[in-house]
Amino acid sequence: MATYKKEKGFTIQSLASDPSPLLEGQVWYNTTSTTLKGSVNVLGVGAWATTNPLNNARQQADGTGTQTAGLVMGGDYTWPHTYPKWSESYDGTSWTSTNNLIKGRLNGAATGTLAASLAIGGSDAPAGQMDEVETWNGTCWSEGNDLLIGRRAGTGAGTTTAALLAGGDAVPPAGGSLANTEFYNGTSWSEGADMPSPRSGAQGGGTQTAAIVAGGGATPPGEARVTEYNGTSWSATPSLNNDKTSGASSQQGTTTSMLIFGGYDATSPAPTDTGQTESYNGTAWTEVGDMGTARTGVAGCGGSNTAAVVAGGYNGSTYMAISEEWNVGADTVTAKTFTAS
């Protein structure tokens, strides 16, 4: 008790009932139950809930922004592939059609905010990877300078004045999955440090100097590897719990707060479209609540591992407009009885 008093400024109290309200770190002796008790902080639990759907069902669209100010562009809504120019914004409640892309595309990359975003690369014909980049100013799209290497299925991070694009599938003669990274300064693209190995179809985001590339793979059907960029070089970090490709992320999250969700789970013995969600705290990935509807080719918006929105997707037979929001409840302080170990 002397040590506790020295640390906390008071002795352990003897109480007939648990104190209310509880303060984190309290310790007391409950004379009624004759037990030593303390208060602990319990982290809020996250869950997906259905919200208003996209105006246009699609898969392989690109998303960026946050849960209350998101943007989804491009995609595909039929077979053989179509390349719509659709662009929609999200205000935390519903989706609104905005001015279209200049050029339709699917399976590209995006980064930025609802007020200033990039649509990067993608595909506009079977095996027709694009090098075109478009800039969104909150009202309309305009053409920007092209990538050095045309590609689809890359991973974007950053802003319209400081962005990166990592990996993807390239057109010949550089065809196949890429380890290449390109950096954007608001005007033009330049080549930077390569990832340790080729990757396409990965999920991730962050900033130009602190980015995550998670899952994807050099060849189908995907893997669990995660690589982070620190502004100078790429390094391996803790892997996902499941092999994953063609999912989405809280793209504007950070290397200490990121959410990965949906896509194609390649983990044996039963690879399938998935609603799996994994949360990253900068140290480890944790499986959390699944999406209500499993699907691949989804678009995602979000700024952390506590708030995101997923939209669209495909389940093998249906192009979807379904949207779901991820929210984490507030932490709570609760009483716990101390027991001997």
Side-chain angles (χ1 to χ4, degrees):
M1 287 188 182
T3 301
Y4 183 82
K5 181 178 181 180
K6 181 180 180 181
E7 293 295 327
K8 295 295 184 181
F10 48 85
T11 59
I12 294 176
Q13 295 176 294
S14 293
L15 303 171
S17 61
D18 295 342
S20 180
L22 288 172
L23 301 176
E24 185 178 357
Q26 277 181 289
V27 176
W28 66 96
Y29 180 75
N30 188 305
T31 59
T32 303
S33 62
T34 63
T35 55
L36 184 64
K37 304 182 75 172
S39 59
V40 294
N41 186 55
V42 178
L43 298 178
V45 177
W48 291 97
T50 301
T51 186
N52 288 309
L54 291 167
N55 293 289
N56 299 286
R58 61 184 112 167
Q59 68 154 340
Q60 293 187 338
D62 307 316
T64 191
T66 67
Q67 187 197 64
T68 57
L71 189 67
V72 166
M73 67 221 64
D76 173 35
Y77 65 95
T78 189
W79 180 262
H81 289 315
T82 48
Y83 306 92
K85 301 176 182 179
W86 301 325
S87 177
E88 299 186 34
S89 64
Y90 188 67
D91 62 4
T93 302
S94 58
W95 294 92
T96 301
S97 295
T98 64
N99 285 315
N100 286 340
L101 291 163
I102 297 168
K103 191 168 186 178
R105 65 190 72 204
L106 63 85
N107 205 11
T111 193
T113 67
L114 179 58
S117 294
L118 296 174
I120 311 167
S123 176
D124 65 348
Q129 287 86 321
M130 303 167 64
D131 58 10
E132 289 93 339
V133 176
E134 297 186 32
T135 301
W136 170 257
N137 65 4
T139 303
C140 58
W141 294 95
S142 60
E143 290 188 32
N145 284 318
D146 292 348
L147 293 166
L148 302 176
I149 300 175
R151 68 187 81 184
R152 63 182 177 185
T155 303
T159 69
T160 54
T161 57
L164 69 77
L165 177 66
D169 287 323
V171 296
S177 295
L178 298 169
N180 166 274
T181 303
E182 295 190 31
F183 295 83
Y184 186 65
N185 62 7
T187 303
S188 58
W189 295 87
S190 59
E191 189 168 354
D194 286 357
M195 293 188 294
S197 60
R199 196 91 63 88
S200 66
Q203 301 78 207
T207 69
Q208 189 185 63
T209 57
I212 292 178
V213 175
T219 58
E223 54 191 60
R225 281 186 304 145
V226 178
T227 307
E228 290 188 19
Y229 183 69
N230 64 6
T232 303
S233 60
W234 293 91
S235 59
T237 56
S239 295
L240 298 169
N241 293 284
N242 302 280
D243 297 339
K244 187 73 63 65
T245 188
S246 298
S249 67
S250 55
Q251 199 270 341
Q252 287 295 296
T254 68
T255 53
T256 59
S257 181
M258 182 73 69
L259 200 70
I260 301 293
F261 39 89
Y264 185 78
D265 174 19
T267 307
S268 297
T272 184
D273 296 338
T274 183
Q276 291 167 346
T277 304
E278 299 196 28
S279 177
Y280 187 57
N281 62 4
T283 302
W285 294 90
T286 302
E287 286 193 59
V288 289
D290 286 0
M291 290 160 33
T293 301
R295 50 205 147 125
T296 189
V298 292
C301 312
S304 69
N305 60 5
T306 63
V309 61
V310 59
Y314 185 70
N315 67 354
S317 62
T318 303
Y319 295 89
M320 299 180 177
I322 298 170
S323 295
E324 300 179 43
E325 283 190 352
W326 170 262
N327 289 292
V328 174
D331 295 355
T332 58
V333 178
T334 188
K336 180 178 177 63
T337 299
F338 294 148
T339 58
S341 58

